Structures are given as structure tokens and as C-alpha cells.
Amino acid sequence: MPDNLHIALLHYPAYNKRGEVVATAVANMDIHDIARTARTYEISKYYIVTPIASQRLFVESILAHWRPGGVAGSYNADRSEALKTVFVKKSLAEVVGDIRFCRGREAKLVATGANLAGNLISCADMRRLIGEGKEDYLVLLGTGWGMAQDVIAAADYRLEPISGAGQYNHLSVRAAVAIIIDRLCHGR
Amino acid sequence: MPDNLHIALLHYPAYNKRGEVVATAVANMDIHDIARTARTYEISKYYIVTPIASQRLFVESILAHWRPGGVAGSYNADRSEALKTVFVKKSLAEVVGDIRFCRGREAKLVATGANLAGNLISCADMRRLIGEGKEDYLVLLGTGWGMAQDVIAAADYRLEPISGAGQYNHLSVRAAVAIIIDRLCHGR
């Protein structure tokens, strides 16, 4: 499956409700749900990114809890398996460095967001690029009220927002990731 | 959008880890995430089904909290809007009765599950049936270790499981619903 596709959930820099740039809190459900989606579609790595040390420790403690041999790892081996895809990093730069180290090339950055407009790439086109295998791609997922504008501006691609039936598109990040990954990877 | 498509999250009858039939606990995140997905794709109604009175009260209290004019409704109007799709019922029979009352016909029941096998309908075929508009469809979503066999056996259709890249398909119900709804409704 696409070993050139990676995803990162960015807790910084993110907007809060008032449009200020903040570090959002890591939600336990985001760790589990997105790891299960990533594992199901055999995404290479799922990075959780936060500059706050105590938040990284929080994620690491959950991963340890579910590790094979950990407290919960023997209770639900499938969950344990999913969480193997999760890696904790302190910045987007660290994620990019990890991909460069593991894959020997720079990842192309793919911004996502419910409000992206302008020069967008469709899921179908992105899917084809990933399938060609000539580049590594890192899909960036926002939290809070979306990722900061400078991250979007620095990305190589901006993915078309997931639209449903009308104007309303306030999906949870857990649902949005599932739909994006399915559109990019289903049937490969 | 498809006013003939409805979804129900069944907390009973469900299997637990040991294969016993139980009523599972309602998870707050299931209320929110699936309501947001339902609202985005303009699903007619999202039913949360549990025979346990205190669990129904729990859901109703969350809905009241987010109602326009409620404590949180003014904080996040988009969330308030999503939760308008949620209806609480005590049994699948009550859900079927509600659809019969509102729509004047029996809904066809569509079972889902990660382990369904045998005589399955593809998402593409299901999508076409919904689009024809000749029937109402109620997509049944399991909790715990899946919905009880007699519910699956009584359904009119069994939807093909969402498969990712390999054998592993332990998606969260929140992610699975998002993918199913996208496959059934995207681009309508």
C-alpha cells in the first residue's frame, strides 16, 4: 500500500475560535480513531504534532498503555496494532525531517481544511500523484478552528475541502480524515 | 439531498467482547461526530437507539445543552445545527415506526459491519437504489463488537464491509459511518 503517504495532525499552529494562533489540546479520540483509519488503509505513519512537552508525554503514555505487553495491549490486540502507526513529534519540521531520514527525500506537503479555496487539487488528482510513487506526500490535518495560514501558504498542495450535500461542512477531523484517506486510497 | 436515507446507531442488541448480547454505553463522541457527518451530507435523520432509559436521558441532556438558546448552542451554532438531526429511540421497532409515520412507507433495512460476508450489496449499488428514490432506506450501525446476528438476518440488505488496504479493518464506528455515507452520497 502507499508507503509514500503520511499524515500529520497539527496541534500547532492552529486558530482558536477568536482567530488567535494557539496550541490546541490533544484529544484521546483523535489518537485512536485516526490510528485505526491509518492502519486500515496502511498509511505509512501517523504523526501527532504538538510543541507542548506534557501533551507529548500524554500521548506517549497512552501508546505505552496499549503497547503489546502493556496494560491494555493484551485486552485488544487490534487496537494495539493500530497504535503502532502513531509517532509523536514536536513540530512539522521534525516530521519533515523524519520522512527525509526514513525515505531519503523531502515530502510534498498537502494542506487540508474545510475552508480552503483558490488553487486546489482534487482528491482524484492527488490519488493519481500518490499512485505514481515519484514523491512522498504528507497530508496535514488541522485542529481547533483550522491550521494557521502560513502553514497552508507553505504547502505544495491544497486539497479540495470535503463537501457533502450543501453549504454545511463541519465534519469532525476524525470523520474528515476517514473520508479523505478513503478517497485517496480506496481500491489501491 | 436524500430524504429517503436515514441512519441508526444501535446500542442494543450488540455483542460484547465475549460474544454475549448486551446494551452498550452511548459515547458522547458518537453523538457529535455522526451528527456532524449526517448534517454535512443532509441525511434525513440520525437515530440513537438504546433501551436504557438513563442512557436516553443522557443523550437528551446533551442535545438540550447544545440546543439553540441552550448553554452551548450560542457558543457554537454549527454544532447546534448538526445535533438537530439526532433523534433518540428505545428500539429499532420505534425507529421503523417513526419512518413509517413520517414517510408513509416501511424503510428497507441495511445492515453494516466489518465482518459481513455472503450475500452483500456494494456501496455503488446501494447508492443507485437510494438515488432511484423508490424506497426509504435505514442504514443500521453497530456498536461494541457488532450488532446481533438476528438484526443482520432480518435486514433487507447487507452492505459490503469497508475494506482498506489489507486484512485489517477495525475502523471506529465514527470513521466507518463517514466513509459509508461519503460513498453512498458524495456528489449527489
Side-chain angles (χ1 to χ4, degrees):
Chain A
M1 277 293 91
D3 57 1
N4 61 334
L5 179 58
H6 322 269
I7 60 178
L9 184 66
L10 302 180
H11 295 85
Y12 178 88
Y15 293 119
N16 68 8
K17 186 178 162 68
R18 291 187 296 278
E20 301 155 342
V21 173
V22 297
T24 57
V26 175
N28 179 46
M29 200 66 90
D30 290 351
I31 307 173
H32 287 269
D33 276 22
I34 300 175
R36 294 164 74 180
T37 298
R39 179 64 187 83
T40 296
Y41 287 85
E42 295 185 2
I43 298 296
S44 180
K45 285 186 181 178
Y46 163 34
Y47 296 97
I48 295 180
V49 183
T50 171
I52 299 176
S54 61
Q55 290 274 290
R56 293 196 301 277
L57 279 172
F58 164 70
V59 181
E60 293 289 7
S61 70
I62 289 169
L63 298 179
H65 182 74
W66 287 95
R67 201 157 283 153
V71 176
S74 57
Y75 176 75
N76 186 336
D78 295 326
R79 193 63 61 90
S80 180
E81 177 67 24
L83 291 171
K84 286 182 193 168
T85 63
V86 179
F87 295 81
V88 187
K89 296 291 175 192
K90 90 170 88 162
S91 65
L92 176 54
E94 265 202 1
V95 174
V96 169
D98 187 64
I99 296 173
R100 186 191 307 121
F101 179 78
C102 296
R103 302 277 302 164
R105 60 190 180 188
E106 295 294 315
K108 296 288 181 189
L109 303 183
V110 184
T112 65
N115 296 314
L116 294 186
N119 188 14
L120 303 172
I121 186 168
S122 69
C123 287
D125 284 347
M126 193 73 241
R127 176 189 170 89
R128 199 174 55 245
L129 286 178
I130 296 164
E132 287 174 0
K134 292 178 187 161
E135 304 277 1
D136 274 56
Y137 297 91
L138 174 61
V139 173
L140 306 176
L141 309 159
T143 56
W145 268 252
M147 72 183 78
Q149 197 53 49
D150 57 346
V151 177
I152 296 170
D156 300 283
Y157 299 97
R158 277 161 292 284
L159 197 65
E160 62 179 355
I162 301 300
S163 57
Q167 293 303 308
Y168 187 99
N169 70 339
H170 302 282
L171 293 168
S172 72
V173 68
R174 298 163 291 282
V177 175
I179 294 166
I180 289 170
I181 297 295
D182 186 58
R183 290 191 187 179
L184 297 181
C185 300
H186 176 227
R188 286 205 177 281
Chain B
M1 280 297 91
D3 57 1
N4 61 334
L5 180 59
H6 322 267
I7 58 178
L9 184 66
L10 301 180
H11 295 85
Y12 177 87
Y15 293 119
N16 68 8
K17 187 179 161 67
R18 291 187 295 278
E20 300 154 345
V21 173
V22 297
T24 58
V26 176
N28 179 46
M29 199 66 89
D30 290 352
I31 307 174
H32 287 270
D33 276 22
I34 299 175
R36 294 164 74 180
T37 298
R39 179 62 187 84
T40 295
Y41 288 85
E42 295 184 2
I43 298 297
S44 180
K45 285 186 180 178
Y46 163 35
Y47 296 97
I48 296 180
V49 183
T50 171
I52 300 177
S54 61
Q55 290 273 290
R56 292 197 301 277
L57 279 173
F58 164 69
V59 181
E60 294 287 8
S61 70
I62 289 170
L63 298 180
H65 181 74
W66 286 96
R67 204 157 283 153
V71 178
S74 57
Y75 176 75
N76 187 336
D78 295 325
R79 193 63 62 89
S80 178
E81 178 65 25
L83 292 171
K84 286 182 194 167
T85 63
V86 179
F87 295 81
V88 186
K89 296 290 174 195
K90 93 171 86 162
S91 66
L92 176 54
E94 265 204 1
V95 174
V96 169
D98 188 63
I99 296 174
R100 186 192 306 120
F101 179 79
C102 296
R103 304 275 302 163
R105 58 190 182 189
E106 295 294 314
K108 297 288 181 187
L109 302 184
V110 183
T112 65
N115 297 315
L116 294 186
N119 188 14
L120 304 173
I121 185 168
S122 69
C123 287
D125 284 347
M126 195 70 242
R127 176 190 171 88
R128 200 176 51 247
L129 285 178
I130 295 165
E132 287 174 0
K134 292 178 188 161
E135 302 277 2
D136 274 57
Y137 297 91
L138 174 62
V139 173
L140 306 176
L141 309 159
T143 57
W145 268 252
M147 71 183 77
Q149 196 55 48
D150 57 346
V151 178
I152 296 171
D156 299 283
Y157 300 97
R158 278 160 290 285
L159 197 64
E160 61 179 354
I162 301 299
S163 58
Q167 294 302 307
Y168 187 99
N169 71 340
H170 302 282
L171 294 168
S172 72
V173 68
R174 297 164 292 282
V177 176
I179 294 166
I180 289 170
I181 297 295
D182 186 59
R183 290 189 186 178
L184 296 182
C185 299
H186 176 227
R188 285 204 179 281

